[in-house]
Amino acid sequence: MFDLKWIRENPDAFDSGLARRGLDPLSNDIIALDSARRDTQTALQEMQAQRNDVSKKIGAAKANGENAKDLIGTVAELKKSIQKSEESERQQTEKLNQTLSEIPNLPDADVPDGSDESENQELRTWGEKPNIGFDAKEHFELGEALRLMDFEAAARISGSRFVVLKGALAKMERALGAFMIDIATDEFEHTEIAPPLLVRDEALFGTGQLPKFADDLFRVEPDLWLIPTAEVSLTNIVREQILDTAELPMRLTALTPCFRSEAGASGKDTRGMFRQHQFNKVELVSIVHPDNSIEELDRLTACAEEVLKKLGLHYRVVSLCTGDLGFSARKTYDIEVWLPGQDRFREISSCSQFGDFQARRMDARFKESGKKGTEFVHTLNGSGLAVGRTLIAVLENYQQADGSIAVPDALQPYMGGLKTILAVNT
């Protein structure tokens, strides 16, 4: 959401930001809607004041034994006009809020311009591509050959885009989640949270999934949805709150299942477990003072990168261009890990800074000690990491010629010292 006062005072800057996202100018429409609503509110206030004044005259007339019939008629007419104006003001407010709620955040000035992901800007790489020494297989080929990854069983149970992991692979997925949480909490001082997996409409509106992206979500009750990411639960912890500056920065993390309909992914990644309806992910959320949000994005990204460094996985960091930027984000860094089986980089984490965009939708504020009034906090989040995709990366990067999987050194303590994953006996 946006500050209407700022739009009125900076219409050109607002339209310029939208233009960078490939959108038409909207400042005139928004200002017109806001002006009409403000005119209605002014007229309503005048009628209410007039009604109050006439009501006092009625009381005085009755006290003096005078006929108040005409005055009573005037109040009755004013009441009808007030009710009509109140309904008009309600409709105007709904239309204005609906319009504002569907407008994406404006990109930061240093976000590269571009139309799609092909114009994202590579910032840095880490590590090197592994020297496999043989034709690398994709994760699903490896997992099925090990008899530890079963897509057919999952399809019988739940349909497409699900998987059943068994034995050592199920253990590795669990180990990866614990490994990531320990890095986030022990090294980067995030507080671990066990949040709700079901959230209300207001929570999804707050982080920007509703109303625009309802088709990407799973709805289980009229006012309850499965979380697409723990970002929703974690960020909304501060909704409708006024924090003290001493509480900032607030850094939270959670390992949860996530649920997405993948409505726009028809035909994409249909083989394997790269894009699924249900997956586990470690989420990182930061609630910060506006002065610190840019540096916090670097810190958040570093936390996600540290997981890949400790696992010895080659990756790169890219700054998303305006055409690839998410709805709520002002600036985003994607981390893409190298997958030998696919012979390319694939996204494994997305770390974003939202400015006060989500905070305005949630009404999340803070108060400076000794200062009057409140300000909106800034919010950030990132994947630290997507557990299933990290499992894919480990399988493909640590595959051996005989089809076994070497367990990364950093992960072995989380797997009871297991060093190699072998195929199970038939």
Side-chain angles (χ1 to χ4, degrees), residues 6 145 172 251 311 406:
W6 183 86
M172 178 175 277
R251 298 183 176 115
L311 293 174

Side-chain angles (χ1 to χ4, degrees), residues 248-268:
L248 303 176
M250 184 182 295
R251 298 183 176 115
L252 310 173
T253 186
L255 168 61
T256 68
C258 304
F259 306 89
R260 297 183 186 176
S261 71
E262 296 293 347
S266 178
K268 297 179 181 177

Side-chain angles (χ1 to χ4, degrees), residues 169-362:
L169 288 192
K171 188 170 187 175
M172 178 175 277
E173 184 184 50
R174 176 163 53 90
L176 282 167
F179 174 66
M180 295 171 188
I181 281 287
D182 284 350
I183 291 174
T185 57
D186 297 346
E187 299 185 31
F188 289 86
E189 300 178 345
H190 284 252
T191 299
E192 184 174 0
I193 303 292
L197 304 183
L198 290 167
V199 294
R200 299 171 62 185
D201 292 359
E202 301 94 305
L204 287 159
F205 178 85
T207 45
Q209 283 83 9
L210 288 180
K212 193 173 181 65
F213 302 104
D215 289 345
D216 295 326
L217 308 171
F218 285 112
R219 190 173 194 167
V220 296
E221 292 287 346
D223 188 32
L224 279 177
W225 309 71
L226 289 167
I227 59 169
T229 164
E231 167 203 353
V232 180
S233 302
L234 296 181
T235 309
N236 276 278
I237 284 175
V238 298
R239 73 173 293 110
E240 299 171 356
Q241 299 297 301
I242 298 177
L243 307 174
D244 189 272
T245 48
E247 299 177 79
L248 303 176
M250 184 182 295
R251 298 183 176 115
L252 310 173
T253 186
L255 168 61
T256 68
C258 304
F259 306 89
R260 297 183 186 176
S261 71
E262 296 293 347
S266 178
K268 297 179 181 177
D269 300 302
T270 54
R271 290 293 309 274
M273 54 181 292
F274 191 84
R275 195 182 300 275
Q276 298 206 296
H277 291 312
Q278 174 187 321
F279 57 94
N280 293 323
K281 182 160 66 77
V282 170
E283 189 71 13
L284 308 168
V285 163
S286 294
I287 314 294
V288 302
H289 190 287
D291 292 346
N292 303 324
S293 60
I294 296 299
E295 64 184 57
E296 186 68 16
L297 178 59
D298 292 332
R299 188 184 191 280
L300 198 72
T301 306
C303 179
E305 288 183 71
E306 189 63 23
V307 176
L308 296 174
K309 289 178 179 178
K310 290 183 184 298
L311 293 174
L313 296 171
H314 177 45
Y315 68 87
R316 69 176 183 175
V317 179
V318 300
S319 179
L320 297 195
C321 71
T322 52
D324 199 27
L325 204 61
F327 176 81
S328 299
R330 288 177 61 177
K331 185 175 184 178
T332 297
Y333 295 146
D334 269 8
I335 304 175
E336 299 177 348
V337 69
W338 179 255
L339 297 182
Q342 295 190 30
D343 194 34
R344 59 173 173 156
F345 287 106
R346 297 299 305 269
E347 178 196 335
I348 198 168
S349 174
S350 190
C351 299
S352 299
Q353 187 251 9
F354 305 100
D356 63 4
F357 187 82
Q358 293 180 327
R360 287 181 179 277
R361 298 169 77 100
M362 298 185 302

Side-chain angles (χ1 to χ4, degrees), residues 46-60 71 75 78:
E46 291 174 351
M47 285 188 288
Q48 289 169 335
Q50 185 180 358
R51 180 190 61 186
N52 293 338
D53 183 58
V54 175
S55 295
K56 290 179 182 178
K57 291 179 180 179
I58 291 173
L71 293 173
V75 168
L78 282 170

Side-chain angles (χ1 to χ4, degrees), residues 87-206:
E87 176 61 20
S88 179
E89 194 270 340
R90 184 189 66 77
Q91 292 177 357
Q92 290 170 329
T93 299
E94 285 183 357
K95 185 175 181 180
L96 179 60
N97 288 340
Q98 180 70 22
T99 299
L100 289 171
S101 72
E102 295 180 353
I103 301 173
N105 205 349
L106 304 183
D108 270 353
D110 62 349
V111 171
D113 288 320
S115 57
D116 55 40
E117 62 181 13
S118 66
E119 297 183 80
N120 291 342
Q121 189 176 95
E122 183 179 293
L123 300 178
R124 58 183 175 274
T125 63
W126 185 90
E128 297 180 355
K129 298 176 184 178
N131 184 15
I132 300 291
F134 53 88
D135 290 337
K137 295 180 179 179
E138 293 198 52
H139 70 280
F140 52 84
E141 298 173 294
L142 295 162
E144 288 177 329
L146 290 168
R147 302 183 185 89
L148 298 175
M149 188 178 290
D150 194 334
F151 295 98
E152 291 185 4
R156 291 195 301 271
I157 299 167
S158 305
S160 61
R161 296 194 186 276
F162 291 92
V163 66
V164 170
L165 297 178
K166 304 175 182 178
L169 288 192
K171 188 170 187 175
M172 178 175 277
E173 184 184 50
R174 176 163 53 90
L176 282 167
F179 174 66
M180 295 171 188
I181 281 287
D182 284 350
I183 291 174
T185 57
D186 297 346
E187 299 185 31
F188 289 86
E189 300 178 345
H190 284 252
T191 299
E192 184 174 0
I193 303 292
L197 304 183
L198 290 167
V199 294
R200 299 171 62 185
D201 292 359
E202 301 94 305
L204 287 159
F205 178 85

